[in-house]
Amino acid sequence: MSFNHHQRQLRLEPRENATLRLQVQPDQIDLVGNQLRLTGKLPNHAKVTAIYFLNDPQEINRFTSVSTTVNLMIVGDISEPLQSTNINEFDRRRYDEQSGILNTIKINEVQRITPVKAARFSAIILNGCHVARYRAVQASNQLPGSLKTYYQGLVLGARNQNFYEQLSGVKQLGLIHLFSISGLHVTLFMAIVERSLTVLKRSKRLIEWLLLGLLPLYFIFTGGATGLLRAILMAEHRLLANRLGFKVESIDNFGLTLLICTLIQPALLMQFGNQLSFGLAFCLLFLNDVSFIKQTLLMNLVSLPFILFHVFEWHVLSLLSNLLVLPLFSVVIFPLTFIGGVMGLKFQLIAQFVNVLIGWFNDCLNGIATLPGMITFGKPPLEGLVIVFVLTLILIGQRGRTGWIKLTILASYVVMFMGIHLPMNGEVTYFDIGQGDCFLVREPFNRSVSMIDTGGRLNFKTPGFRKVTARSRAETITINYLKSKGIAHLDGLYLSHKDADHTGDTPVVLRNLRVDHVYVPKGMQQNPDFLKRVKGLISTNRIMPLQAGNQPAYSPFKVVHPFKPGLGENGDSMVLYCEMGNLSWLFTGDLDRDGEREIIRQYPGLKVDVLKLGHHGSKTSSDPEVLKQLSPKVGIISAGRKNRYGHPNEETLATLAKLRIPYFNTQVDGMITYTFRNHQTGSWKTFLKENR
């Protein structure tokens, strides 16, 4: 039976209000605010993820008290995992499918929770490991700050919601691989077991047999990451070879491990972490006889293509950080974390002392990461990365003259960098950020790069639940896309008005990108709520108020609204006009019909080719008479799926149909992009149509 056929058998057909029994391990239940998130198995052994929105704070105890393997009898809506809708956005559906998760369930009701009594020995052991891990994570929540984060990440393979924020320096300096439980951790685990049993005067033969049984349990206990599976299988092969009296070559061990891992998870090498894990492990086989400095340099060179393809940027201090931190980490930080975590649960003084030391270490890394040196490279073409990766492998294997290889690698990176940073194409892109607006307008060769609005979440707090700050869509979608294009600088950020779905992510954009000026509708620069949002992120003299008739220097936009100062309400929306790619464009914010009519009174000859429909297609905008005068060839609707406002309104869609105005809608089209070259008409692409 093929893997794909097996997947089709496990996949459930989407349906609503299905009654299902779901087996869940206690360490796979996560409560975030009022959202219960979990991973479990159906009776046919299909893995699913599920989410349940709690309405009553009293329900919290019902789930936080689950400390053993349970069956949940639920009623829920079955669907496929969410698909990405923007270029270079994290694709949850693909990632879940590669991990064997083929369905998502939105739980409407949890009817009952019953403990599972396993009958088979293997199930008893499996469930016992998950229970032990759950209890270890719960106990470690008592640990202070930095020690808790390091202990849970390094020893238990558990990461909380703020993991990447707390370890921002580790991430930016390319050290996050240290928190992927793999070879280093297996080596230390085996050393602890061996030394402990040697002290008890147990024979080497017995110790090796015990390790053969303990390593799979360690795999389950630490979260079961694929990188860890690789390290454990390679260790198991060596132990088994020792016990059976034959020698296994390292390259054969690696090949057998890769084969087994691929059989278990066929899409293994499609994931960034696995690419790094196996790529670095493979190259290490050929670097045992070189100095530590040269080994670190070559390992960084090996990892660079993978980092640029997935992360798009690289810090010049990464190499130095690896040289300094790797020895310190394995000799000091990891053992200190382990001792502090284990003993700190009983002796608070030890926990506080270790927490201070680890806190200093983490603050030092965060400080180094803030130093200049972050290069936003962009996403190179896959073909180019394959070439530099192969050349790097040749460099590792070559023992003679390697000057030409080094020069070719350097030249390849320079050519890719220039191609990304001096693109011949310009673009106008409407991001799919849910209910909100965010657009990119970029001229060829990046002569000007502008963003209109930032999007932002509309937070509707559930009373009685702790507020949770999720990663913004600006980080996961828009900034991610910009960095994939090598863009870390905006000439102008244009904010149409103050509403959170247009400007809520302004702080995130200002923290992650260099912005020359922020342009707002006149009067909004005095709005206290807006000023509070951007305080400390940009000087007030770079916040430029605009009104109709203004056109900032070197800006592609002419302002056609507002005509008088306001506070940034819908009716004060800044409306921008530009000509680009042989088309004329109008971006209207949330302007209402009165404002639209005022524009055509003041600009009676105004015509546009592309119109961003006001207020997400609401009936309060898109006046039929205004649309007749503007006579757009294309309309754009930016609105969230299943939004609570019913955008776009049926009345607006009927008006478009009557006037025969075709339109794109981010709800169904995802990210919408118009690309063009100088003085040439371009072409339209919609992400979901291109990626069905």
Side-chain angles (χ1 to χ4, degrees):
M1 182 186 296
S2 71
F3 173 73
N4 288 334
H5 178 67
H6 180 63
Q7 278 203 322
R8 285 194 295 271
Q9 282 192 324
L10 294 179
R11 192 186 299 274
L12 302 177
E13 290 297 323
R15 65 182 191 274
E16 296 182 350
N17 290 319
T19 301
L20 302 162
R21 177 165 60 84
L22 192 61
Q23 182 172 302
V24 182
Q25 301 291 353
D27 61 328
Q28 295 175 338
I29 298 175
D30 192 17
L31 185 64
V32 182
N34 72 321
Q35 298 178 27
L36 185 77
R37 303 172 185 173
L38 53 90
T39 302
K41 286 187 177 181
L42 297 169
N44 68 346
H45 302 292
K47 288 173 65 177
V48 299
T49 57
I51 187 168
Y52 180 42
F53 293 92
L54 281 63
N55 296 312
D56 184 356
Q58 299 298 323
E59 282 189 286
I60 293 176
N61 291 335
R62 187 183 181 194
F63 297 101
T64 55
S65 61
V66 172
S67 59
T68 187
T69 309
V70 295
N71 280 327
L72 303 183
M73 190 59 69
I74 63 172
V75 177
D77 304 330
I78 303 170
S79 63
E80 292 184 338
L82 292 176
Q83 180 183 4
S84 65
T85 60
N86 298 270
I87 293 174
N88 292 325
E89 179 186 0
F90 174 66
D91 194 332
R92 169 58 63 180
R93 178 180 296 180
R94 178 178 295 179
Y95 179 83
D96 281 353
E97 287 180 348
Q98 290 168 357
S99 304
I101 298 173
L102 306 177
N103 287 103
T104 297
I105 300 173
K106 179 181 177 294
I107 300 175
N108 301 321
E109 180 188 359
V110 178
Q111 294 179 333
R112 64 179 181 273
I113 305 174
T114 54
V116 171
K117 293 183 179 179
R120 291 181 293 111
F121 178 74
S122 59
I124 293 172
I125 297 297
L126 176 67
N127 295 348
C129 288
H130 281 288
V131 170
R133 181 170 186 258
Y134 165 80
R135 291 176 179 171
V137 171
Q138 294 303 307
S140 67
N141 286 329
Q142 304 169 24
L143 297 171
S146 298
L147 174 58
K148 171 186 168 182
T149 301
Y150 272 60
Y151 181 74
Q152 289 185 344
L154 284 170
V155 178
L156 304 177
R159 298 179 179 181
N160 59 36
Q161 288 293 112
N162 301 319
F163 179 82
Y164 288 107
E165 292 179 18
Q166 294 168 326
L167 275 69
S168 59
V170 171
K171 180 183 177 185
Q172 292 175 25
L173 293 172
L175 298 170
I176 201 68
H177 61 88
L178 296 175
F179 284 81
S180 299
I181 298 182
S182 56
L184 170 65
H185 309 79
V186 171
T187 301
L188 289 171
F189 172 76
M190 293 175 66
I192 290 170
V193 172
E194 287 174 357
R195 290 176 186 177
S196 300
L197 294 176
T198 301
V199 169
L200 296 174
K201 298 183 178 179
R202 298 296 181 244
S203 68
K204 183 178 180 181
R205 178 186 176 87
L206 176 62
I207 292 172
E208 289 182 342
W209 282 118
L210 283 172
L211 282 171
L212 279 167
L214 288 174
L215 283 172
L217 302 184
Y218 179 69
F219 171 72
I220 300 168
F221 181 79
T222 52
T226 309
L228 178 61
L229 179 60
R230 173 196 59 76
I232 282 180
L233 282 176
M234 291 186 75
E236 291 264 307
H237 295 156
R238 287 195 302 270
L239 289 169
L240 195 58
N242 287 342
R243 287 297 87 231
L244 298 179
F246 63 88
K247 184 179 180 181
V248 58
E249 295 293 338
S250 296
I251 189 67
D252 297 328
N253 191 356
F254 177 87
L256 179 60
T257 298
L258 178 59
L259 176 62
I260 294 172
C261 288
T262 306
L263 289 173
I264 295 172
Q265 190 177 338
L268 174 84
L269 294 181
M270 300 297 291
Q271 296 176 9
F272 176 37
N274 295 334
Q275 291 169 1
L276 271 182
S277 176
F278 279 89
L280 293 175
F282 176 74
C283 293
L284 268 176
L285 299 176
F286 305 96
L287 295 174
N288 290 326
D289 58 344
V290 301
S291 67
F292 172 72
I293 293 178
K294 186 175 181 180
Q295 185 183 89
T296 304
L297 176 63
L298 289 171
M299 294 294 279
N300 273 266
L301 201 56
V302 167
S303 63
L304 187 57
F306 301 108
I307 291 171
L308 294 182
F309 188 76
H310 293 279
V311 183
F312 322 130
E313 54 186 2
W314 179 77
H315 204 294
V316 294
L317 295 176
S318 293
L319 176 59
L320 180 62
S321 300
N322 275 277
L323 284 169
L324 296 176
V325 171
L326 276 174
L328 182 67
F329 201 87
S330 58
V331 176
V332 178
I333 300 301
F334 186 88
L336 194 63
T337 299
F338 182 80
I339 293 169
V342 173
M343 298 189 67
L345 294 174
K346 187 166 185 178
F347 302 103
Q348 192 175 28
L349 190 62
I350 293 176
Q352 294 293 346
F353 176 70
V354 174
N355 181 61
V356 170
L357 296 179
I358 291 178
W360 286 344
F361 173 75
N362 197 56
D363 290 343
C364 183
L365 292 180
N366 290 344
I368 293 172
T370 62
L371 297 174
M374 181 62 77
I375 298 174
T376 302
F377 192 100
K379 185 176 183 177
L382 181 59
E383 300 84 354
L385 291 178
V386 170
I387 290 171
V388 293
F389 181 69
V390 171
L391 286 170
T392 304
L393 295 181
I394 295 172
L395 180 64
I396 291 173
Q398 189 79 22
R399 289 293 183 264
R401 303 172 71 178
T402 58
W404 71 271
I405 302 177
K406 295 173 184 175
L407 284 175
T408 307
I409 292 173
L410 178 60
S412 299
Y413 279 116
V414 169
V415 169
M416 289 189 289
F417 183 85
M418 298 301 292
I420 293 169
H421 286 257
L422 293 173
M424 298 180 68
N425 288 335
E427 67 177 295
V428 179
T429 291
Y430 300 80
F431 295 104
D432 177 17
I433 55 161
Q435 185 66 12
D437 280 5
C438 184
F439 317 126
L440 172 68
V441 179
R442 180 178 62 77
E443 293 186 273
F445 302 102
N446 287 348
R447 286 192 296 265
S448 72
V449 181
S450 309
M451 182 185 287
I452 303 172
D453 287 332
T454 65
R457 294 181 186 272
L458 295 168
N459 292 319
F460 301 97
K461 191 176 184 298
T462 306
F465 290 95
R466 179 172 58 89
K467 185 179 178 181
V468 176
T469 304
R471 290 188 73 195
S472 70
R473 291 192 176 101
E475 286 181 277
T476 59
I477 297 173
T478 54
I479 293 172
N480 202 48
Y481 177 79
L482 287 171
K483 290 187 175 180
S484 76
K485 296 292 183 179
I487 297 171
H489 165 257
L490 296 176
D491 296 291
L493 173 60
Y494 298 79
L495 303 177
S496 63
H497 64 297
K498 70 176 180 61
D499 285 359
D501 58 330
H502 291 253
T503 64
D505 284 340
T506 300
V508 180
V509 172
L510 293 176
R511 278 193 291 266
N512 286 274
L513 301 172
R514 289 182 294 112
V515 179
D516 286 350
H517 293 96
V518 174
Y519 298 99
V520 298
K522 192 169 185 178
M524 185 172 143
Q525 80 278 9
Q526 298 174 339
N527 186 302
D529 290 337
F530 167 71
L531 290 175
K532 183 179 178 182
R533 186 172 288 168
V534 300
K535 184 178 179 181
L537 298 173
I538 190 168
S539 61
T540 53
N541 62 2
R542 289 199 286 148
I543 300 175
M544 313 296 291
L546 300 175
Q547 63 181 6
N550 294 153
Q551 182 167 10
Y554 310 109
S555 169
F557 300 110
K558 179 180 179 182
V559 182
V560 298
H561 192 272
F563 297 98
K564 60 183 180 181
L567 288 176
E569 305 293 342
N570 284 1
D572 307 323
S573 288
M574 179 168 60
V575 178
L576 302 172
Y577 172 87
C578 74
E579 295 178 358
M580 198 163 290
N582 277 355
L583 296 179
S584 55
W585 308 73
L586 198 66
F587 302 87
T588 57
D590 279 356
L591 190 64
D592 54 24
R593 291 192 177 195
D594 287 341
E596 293 174 342
R597 288 192 285 265
E598 183 65 20
I599 289 175
I600 63 171
R601 281 196 294 271
Q602 297 291 334
Y603 300 95
L606 182 63
K607 303 283 184 183
V608 297
D609 295 307
V610 185
L611 173 66
K612 201 289 293 188
L613 297 173
H615 204 182
H616 319 290
S618 167
K619 63 182 179 181
T620 61
S621 301
S622 302
D623 183 281
E625 294 305 314
V626 172
L627 293 184
K628 279 184 185 178
Q629 175 175 316
L630 294 176
S631 61
K633 298 182 177 66
V634 176
I636 305 288
I637 298 171
S638 178
R641 291 165 186 76
K642 299 180 181 179
N643 65 81
R644 61 173 60 196
Y645 310 103
H647 296 155
N649 189 268
E650 289 297 327
E651 183 178 323
T652 300
L653 298 180
T655 299
L656 293 174
K658 183 178 179 181
L659 297 176
R660 296 182 179 179
I661 300 173
Y663 64 90
F664 295 110
N665 181 355
T666 58
Q667 288 177 332
V668 295
D669 296 312
M671 178 179 177
I672 303 160
T673 302
Y674 177 82
T675 55
F676 61 94
R677 292 196 175 187
N678 280 330
H679 314 300
Q680 297 180 21
T681 302
S683 60
W684 291 95
K685 285 186 178 180
T686 59
F687 183 83
L688 291 181
K689 180 180 179 181
E690 299 291 324
N691 292 275
R692 283 199 175 102

